Amino acid sequence: MSEEIVLTVEDLIVEFPTRKGILRPVDRVNFNIKKGEILGVVGESGAGKSMCGSAIVGLIDRPGRITGGEIRLQNERIDNISHERMRKIRGRRIGMVFQDPLTSLNPLMTVGEQIMETIRVHLKISEAEARQRAIAALEEVGIPAASSRVDAYPHQFSGGMRQRVVIALALAAEPELIIADEPTTALDVSVQAQIMALLKKLCHERGTAVMLITHDMGVIAETTDRVAVLYAGRLAEIGPTKDVLSNPSHPYTIGLMASTPSPTGSTERLSQIPGSMPNLRAIPQGCAFNQRCTKAISACFKHLPILEPVDKTDVACWLYDEAYKDEAAEQSKTQLKEGA
Amino acid sequence: MLAFVIRRVGEALLVLFIVALVSFAMFKFMGDPIQSMVGQEATLVDQEELRERLGLNDPFPVQYVAYLGRVLSGEFGISYRVGLPVEEIILDRLPATLELALLSGLIAISLGIFLGIYTAIRRDGFVAHFIMTTSLIGVSLPTFLIGVFLIWIFAVELNVLPSYGRGETLDVFGVPLSIFTLDGLKSMILPAVTLGLYQMTLIMRLVRSEMLEVLRTDFIRFARARGLSNKAINFRHALKNTLVPVITVTGLQLGSIIAFAIITETVFQWPGVGLLFINAVNVVDIPIMSTYLLLVAVIFVTINLIVDLLYFSIDPRLKVGGGSKGH
Ligand SMILES: Nc1ncnc2c1ncn2[C@@H]1O[C@H](COP(=O)(O)OP(=O)(O)OP(=O)(O)O)[C@@H](O)[C@H]1O
Ligand code: SF4
Ligand SMILES: [Mg+2]
């Protein structure tokens, strides 16, 4: 795998001005994705996963906008370019797959028309050639009898087949990056694995970088190379998937892993993280997780932790800061005593 | 699809059958035709004889079937007041109403769809806000007020457009029409605008809200993510998806344009069937009234049928064999 970086997100901030003040669904998020790499993005509902994806393709709903940081595609900034230039990047260089294949396609157009239309906005080719390509694209995602199914309407496909069509659409112009926002959540469990395997296979073959947003830890474990954990719009931890899963460092990630059922199907009670993610209007000062964190120390309530390498992952947590090492150790001792 | 069409045609016929019953009942129970047909000097015996001859003593269903038979063969009775066959009188007046309704329907649909799209796409713009606010006037003011208001401005104050009558007409296949002469067209403008204003506003507001709804859907979002241009998104994807509800309402509105023409024709003294109906009501000319009722029903039912058939050409999900293979 080459080390060429396809996407760089640096200190990204997304803000929504509202009557009651400014909301920040994405707050100084940093990550990159290399060619052929699959980055998983996890986090509770409302953590800002989709918002990150929308920011990258320039599709944040009004009145939200990017107010800080940079997004670079192959070292070119794409967060501050014109709408028209961004439009030419969407679909051509960044493809998207959304959650619900039932609603992602226009019900009044055949799937072929929709694929051809996408190819033809981006590539100067004839109608006949676009049709051949559309058929090839459908074949590639495993639609049987593609040359006749190309003229079928979306409602004539099952959910899983429709998501294949959506993937064909996202890949139609051979983008360098795919952003897949919970691509299997709306599907039958039986077809979820097939769709994930398909996405993974196609992206590996083409060296496409993938940002895979999901709630499913099983998908993360099987599919991704690295994983980013978001909490209240901030990055809590990011690192190679196996390290984050087997040896998480951030207290939130630790809690998240513990509350995920293990594949062995153990019946022991899952340790849910008590409490819930703070509302965007009520994010506490310091670490956003401090209300729920059992290890919180004084610094957590004052200063925002920044991402630092800990073991093999990058973690935003004061526990691992040299300056607070002693307090952290003290804290865990008292907790042990209390527990005993 | 054939089964659907047959069912719809059946329903349409049922509706017409019922309307015919109502319009027949008007004959039967509103006023005594004998009274209006015979002179002062007729004796009770004469009246009874006439009643018998006209079949007015037969049982109700028998009379109704006879009535249906006459209607189907194009006989609608004799106008009490004018003394001419009703079908002749109505056919004479119908072109005026139809051309007026057609023009105002055209104005309502084209302007309504255009402004609806505009106010949806530019929903935060000043012009769009202005249009939306003024359109409230269109829906809330009664038709006759708008008519009177337009007459006052354009006919009285500015004196640029005529305020009543059809103006000059041109015979097309023996049918006099105003729309093909300049003078006639000028005469049509005020009544057509008055008649179509309400429908235009309604269509505009509907197109706007449907557009806004569709623009929020996932497939529009996905279309944007595929890099399609705004033009393709707004017109190829969004507009077409608003058409089914828009056609439904538009079809019904066209029907009601014909019905509403009563008021507009009265205000502008437009010699169509609406004005004819109002005059007939004044003198309780039952044959005219009941035939008018039938006519409006036929028009409504026909438009409805066309609307239903239009769905098929727009939405592939309704076609036979298009049943979902998954869920
Ligand atoms: N149009 C908007 N105006 C204001 N806030 C918004 C808007 N859209 C989203 N948000 C907020 O942004 C935050 C992040 O939302 P986002 O959709 O990215 O969450 P997510 O991590 O994708 O969650 P999920 O797992 O439910 O998809 C949420 O708190 C949400 O309330
Ligand atoms: S910074 Fe503090 S509150 Fe936040 S996760 Fe680390 S220990 Fe917990
Ligand atoms: Mg989301």
Side-chain angles (χ1 to χ4, degrees), chain B residues 13-14 27 41 48 68 70 86 88 135 158 182 200-201 211-212 217 219 221 234 244 261 312 320-321 323:
Chain B
L13 289 177
L14 185 70
F27 264 114
E41 63 279 11
E48 194 45 46
L68 277 185
R70 270 176 283 144
V86 170
E88 248 174 59
S135 78
L158 299 177
L182 186 65
M200 188 211 76
T201 345
M211 267 301 262
L212 287 179
T217 57
F219 70 83
R221 206 176 160 70
N234 288 334
V244 167
F312 281 101
V320 189

Side-chain angles (χ1 to χ4, degrees), chain A residues 16 25 44-51 182 215 280:
Chain A
F16 277 79
E44 282 166 69
S45 189
K49 305 180 295 293
S50 301
M51 199 61 81
E182 309 195 29
H215 278 128
L280 283 184

Side-chain angles (χ1 to χ4, degrees), chain A residues 87 103 106 117-118 122 155, chain B residues 218 224 226-227 236-237 322:
Chain A
R87 178 175 77 69
T103 56
N106 183 342
E117 154 188 79
T118 313
H122 296 301
H155 71 272
Chain B
D218 282 357
R224 282 194 211 290
R226 287 190 274 141
R236 200 179 319 149
H237 289 267

Side-chain angles (χ1 to χ4, degrees), chain B residues 69-128:
Chain B
R70 270 176 283 144
V71 164
L72 286 179
S73 59
E75 280 174 48
F76 296 89
I78 308 285
S79 160
Y80 296 164
R81 193 178 55 130
V82 192
L84 287 173
V86 170
E87 57 273 17
E88 248 174 59
I89 302 174
I90 289 203
L91 275 182
D92 192 44
R93 295 287 203 111
L94 199 56
T97 294
L98 286 185
E99 70 171 347
L100 181 65
L102 212 70
L103 184 65
S104 58
L106 226 61
I107 294 175
I109 292 174
S110 52
L111 220 57
I113 291 183
F114 173 80
L115 291 179
I117 296 170
Y118 180 85
T119 49
I121 296 175
R122 294 273 145 80
R123 64 179 176 283
D124 296 324
F126 173 77
V127 181

Side-chain angles (χ1 to χ4, degrees), chain A residues 94-113:
Chain A
I94 307 178
M96 287 205 81
V97 178
F98 290 122
Q99 179 172 350
D100 192 350
L102 300 186
T103 56
S104 290
L105 299 168
N106 183 342
L108 304 186
M109 282 168 83
T110 66
V111 299
E113 280 167 346

Side-chain angles (χ1 to χ4, degrees), chain B residues 287-310:
Chain B
I288 298 244
M289 287 161 66
S290 68
T291 310
Y292 177 82
L293 196 68
L294 266 183
L295 177 73
V296 170
V298 168
I299 290 173
F300 259 93
V301 163
T302 312
I303 290 177
N304 252 335
L305 206 58
I306 294 174
V307 164
D308 282 342
L309 296 182
L310 271 181

